[in-house]
Amino acid sequence: MPGCSFVIGYDTYVRILNPRYYGDSIQNMEAALGQINAAGCGFVVGGRLAEGCFKEADPSLVPDMLRSMFKYLGEREFRNDLSSTELRASGRGLQI
């Protein structure tokens, strides 16, 4: 999906940047995200209610060479404490 931006929450952001999901390798993580970046894709990251408090993404977690592919929405710009799991369970999700 070249040129697309993916909207993700804080929890997914943390997983995307966790080397554990790339064979415990920072180099593998950077390579995988580099491929996404090379396709012109990026991420729009919103904060998320987690562990009882609202958490915003920490841009310093992103390697310098990949920072341009992440855009951040602060709590003032976007806050919706309803999760996709809750939406699906309530039946209010997208119906196709």
Side-chain angles (χ1 to χ4, degrees), residues 1 7-8 11 14-15 19 21-22 24-26 43 47-48 52 54 56 68-71 77 81 86 96:
M1 299 173 59
V7 180
I8 60 174
D11 49 343
V14 170
R15 284 192 303 271
Y21 296 102
Y22 306 91
D24 283 319
S25 169
I26 291 173
F43 299 94
R48 182 79 118 192
F54 190 79
E56 293 186 28
S68 66
M69 68 186 295
F70 290 90
K71 307 289 184 254
E77 298 164 303
D81 294 340
E86 291 170 324
I96 298 176

Side-chain angles (χ1 to χ4, degrees), residues 13 16-17 33 43 45 62 66-72:
Y13 173 76
I16 286 172
L17 297 170
L33 291 175
F43 299 94
V45 186
V62 180
L66 300 171
R67 286 208 175 139
S68 66
M69 68 186 295
F70 290 90
K71 307 289 184 254
Y72 302 93

Side-chain angles (χ1 to χ4, degrees), residues 35-83:
Q35 288 179 347
I36 294 168
N37 193 29
C41 297
F43 299 94
V44 178
V45 186
R48 182 79 118 192
L49 186 64
E51 301 166 6
C53 65
F54 190 79
K55 296 189 177 188
E56 293 186 28
D58 179 1
S60 71
L61 295 177
V62 180
D64 290 340
M65 65 185 202
L66 300 171
R67 286 208 175 139
S68 66
M69 68 186 295
F70 290 90
K71 307 289 184 254
Y72 302 93
L73 299 174
E75 184 174 9
R76 285 185 176 178
E77 298 164 303
F78 173 83
R79 180 169 179 175
N80 185 341
D81 294 340
L82 187 60
S83 74

Side-chain angles (χ1 to χ4, degrees), residues 82-93:
L82 187 60
S83 74
S84 58
T85 301
E86 291 170 324
L87 273 176
R88 285 188 300 274
S90 72
R92 294 185 295 168

